[in-house]
């Protein structure tokens, strides 16, 4: 567990001072990653109490400076550990109002004949089973509360194909289908489930993918974006914060695309 002042310097919206998420508890998987941390900062700045989950092998405390967060360790692929992080979150806070179901990996970059089967199994374990198990244990909590907002992290890889990315593409299409199904199951309880679909985000994950696909840097990816630049993690965080808040109270089963127009044409 770490404690400290929230850094709100990069959130300059009108909500910065309004604290629309005051009194809410936000559970975030993949907390220690670029998108997880940016979202934690923003939700905290808007008043939420943050509980961050990351893999036991990751030193999340080392990257959580400036974020007021309760840290939990769990492998999202392991059912007993998922049950454990949800139970621990409930012990700590007594409620879960926002669930950012975000942990994910990029897997291999290879054509289908060359794609290692072990990588296929691993990416489905993290990106699909991990998201499913999170829903399996958080939904009952929110259904009992008769309130809550869940945001599953998909990708534009959940909307279109891309060569040499079959494992990731399939896994993120699965997240979209799972989100829509969960939205229908949760709606009678007043619980909303949406997915966020980032495009090319200036982050460790994109840089690694670009290098493994043989490009020197991310500039060709930025050029392919109608807005002619990569997304910042804060731009993804703002979309998640919107879906987490009552501003999106009539939205469920929605796939929110944050891609600078990549998938429009
Ligand atoms: N970065 C991008 O360009 C981009 C674009 C679209 C979608 N996404 C998605 O956004 C999400 C976050 O990505 P990011 O860019 O922050 O990547 P990241 O690698 O910085 O963060 C991912 C986090 O998930 C954690 N994680 C991985 N496997 C885990 C497991 N088995 N159990 C628990 N935690 C685990 C990692 O430790 C890491 O902290 C992912 O689902 C990713 O697929 C990223």
């Amino acid at each position: 567990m770490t404690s400290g002042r929230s850094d709100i310097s990069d959130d300059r919206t009108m909500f910065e001072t309004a604290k629309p998420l005051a009194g809410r508890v936000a559970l975030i998987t993949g907390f220690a990653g670029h998108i997880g941390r940016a979202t934690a900062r923003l939700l905290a700045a808007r008043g939420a109490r943050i509980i961050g989950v990351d893999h036991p092998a990751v030193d999340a405390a080392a990257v959580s400076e400036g974020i007021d967060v309760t840290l939990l360790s769990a492998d999202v692929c392991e059912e007993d550990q998922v049950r454990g992080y949800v139970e621990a979150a409930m012990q700590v806070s007594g409620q879960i109002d926002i669930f950012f179901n975000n942990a994910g990996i990029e897997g291999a970059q290879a054509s289908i004949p060359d794609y290692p089967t072990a990588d296929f199994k691993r990416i489905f374990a993290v990106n699909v089973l991990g998201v499913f198990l999170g829903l399996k244990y958080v939904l009952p909590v929110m259904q009992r509360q008769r309130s809550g907002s869940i945001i599953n992290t998909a990708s534009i890889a959940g909307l279109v194909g891309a060569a040499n990315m079959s494992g990731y593409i399939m896994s993120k299409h699965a997240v979209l289908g799972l989100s829509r199904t969960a939205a229908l199951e949760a709606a009678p309880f007043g619980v909303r489930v949406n997915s966020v679909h980032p495009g090319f985000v200036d982050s460790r994950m994109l840089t690694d993918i670009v290098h493994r696909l043989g490009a020197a840097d991310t500039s060709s990816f930025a050029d392919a974006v109608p807005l002619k630049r990569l997304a910042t993690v804060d731009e993804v965080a703002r979309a998640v914060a919107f879906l987490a808040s009552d501003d999106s109270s009539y939205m469920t089963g929605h796939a929110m695309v944050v891609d600078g127009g990549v998938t429009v044409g």
Side-chain angles (χ1 to χ4, degrees), residues 11-12 32 48 58-59 88 107 113 121 123 126 142 149 163 177 181 191 193 212 230 257 263:
D11 176 25
R12 303 194 185 286
V58 172
D59 185 1
K121 289 179 178 171
I123 202 165
V126 179
M142 290 187 170
S149 176
T181 301
V191 175
V193 184
R212 286 201 292 264
L230 304 179
V257 181
T263 54

Side-chain angles (χ1 to χ4, degrees), residues 158-211:
L159 303 171
V160 297
N164 301 314
M165 295 283 293
S166 57
Y168 191 68
I169 295 281
M170 285 189 290
S171 73
K172 293 301 188 180
H173 275 70
V175 172
L176 175 60
L178 182 56
S179 300
R180 288 174 167 163
T181 301
L184 292 173
E185 293 185 11
F189 299 90
V191 175
R192 299 185 296 111
V193 184
N194 294 287
S195 51
V196 67
H197 298 252
F200 305 138
V201 183
D202 189 6
S203 63
R204 189 282 311 159
M205 184 179 283
L206 179 68
T207 305
D208 283 6
I209 290 172
V210 163
H211 286 153

Side-chain angles (χ1 to χ4, degrees), residues 33-35 54 58 74-76 102 104 153-154 168 172 198-199 201 203-204:
H34 281 165
I35 291 173
D54 214 295
V58 172
D75 183 336
V76 299
N102 166 69
T153 305
Y168 191 68
K172 293 301 188 180
V201 183
S203 63
R204 189 282 311 159

